[in-house]
Amino acid sequence: AFSQIFNFPIWKIEVDELKEIIALECRNPKTTIPYLSVIRFNGELILDQYPLKQKEWTLASIQGNYIILKKVADNSPIHPGVWMLDYLHPNEDNQFHQFQYLATLENYIQMRPQHISSGFHQYFSLATQEIVSTIDETIKLFENNIVFPLAYTSLKPSFLDQFEDNEDLWISK
């Protein structure tokens, strides 16, 4: 268990169970600019509130050394734009504005060219950093066995009054 305080509310959480890391997207409520953090299961902070320049990017997944971001539009959750951000060396090298994010697979990101509505997929290899048209049929969706807690919506129990910084409470399933 660990405790971490962020400057802004947590917007999204994604987990890579195999690498034992957690990716968090926090958003500034005034500007809606996202800030990304990566934390190991033991509480070690790897990436601390890295600001993105554009508010249209949102956390889609995390796998290995990459935070996978997708772009959203003002009026739609679907918009061309996929970004594989190396959280150890953050940069904008792996941004693809002509593709739409579809899914995170084992060691691949499934995406579609923006002008094709269905049927045709391409894959970004996290290992080689290349776009390929086909992958081995045995490659599956990237899955975790992580169970997220439920939000506690009742009144805060009196024994927790001494903890002022805890705004949101969660219950383990």
Side-chain angles (χ1 to χ4, degrees):
F2 62 88
S3 176
Q4 182 68 40
I5 295 175
F6 298 98
N7 293 336
F8 304 111
I10 295 174
W11 191 260
K12 284 187 170 182
I13 301 172
E14 290 292 332
V15 176
D16 180 340
E17 174 186 10
L18 300 175
K19 189 114 179 184
E20 297 185 348
I21 51 176
I22 302 167
L24 296 121
E25 174 187 338
C26 297
R27 292 233 174 209
N28 180 328
K30 293 178 183 168
T31 65
T32 68
I33 294 292
Y35 292 79
L36 302 175
S37 296
V38 177
I39 303 171
R40 293 193 195 285
F41 283 9
N42 66 8
E44 177 190 354
L45 196 59
I46 302 169
L47 183 66
D48 188 15
Q49 301 181 70
Y50 178 79
L52 300 181
K53 295 175 184 165
Q54 297 173 319
K55 63 182 179 180
E56 293 80 14
W57 292 103
T58 191
L59 180 63
S61 183
I62 185 166
Q63 187 176 156
N65 291 346
Y66 292 94
I67 298 172
I68 295 91
L69 302 160
K70 65 180 181 178
K71 207 166 198 182
V72 293
D74 289 336
N75 300 323
S76 171
I78 300 170
H79 191 71
V82 183
W83 184 2
M84 279 59 76
L85 177 70
D86 181 340
Y87 60 79
L88 298 174
H89 310 285
N91 60 51
E92 298 181 12
D93 291 347
N94 291 323
Q95 281 188 11
F96 300 96
H97 296 281
Q98 69 277 21
F99 288 94
Q100 176 187 342
Y101 171 84
L102 297 176
T104 300
L105 309 175
E106 294 174 348
N107 298 313
Y108 291 91
I109 306 304
Q110 184 181 37
M111 50 194 193
R112 176 182 298 131
Q114 77 180 58
H115 298 297
I116 298 176
S117 60
S118 66
F120 180 72
H121 303 141
Q122 289 186 300
Y123 306 89
F124 178 83
S125 168
L126 295 172
T128 64
Q129 300 196 4
E130 296 176 336
I131 296 175
V132 295
S133 296
T134 59
I135 58 173
D136 188 320
E137 292 178 14
T138 61
I139 293 174
K140 304 178 292 187
L141 284 172
F142 185 67
E143 295 183 6
N144 285 304
N145 292 316
I146 302 294
V147 178
F148 289 99
L150 300 171
Y152 181 77
T153 56
S154 296
L155 293 175
K156 183 178 177 179
S158 60
F159 66 87
L160 292 177
D161 287 341
Q162 62 185 341
F163 302 104
E164 295 176 16
D165 292 335
N166 289 355
E167 295 174 10
D168 298 321
L169 299 176
W170 304 91
I171 312 170
S172 180
K173 291 183 182 179

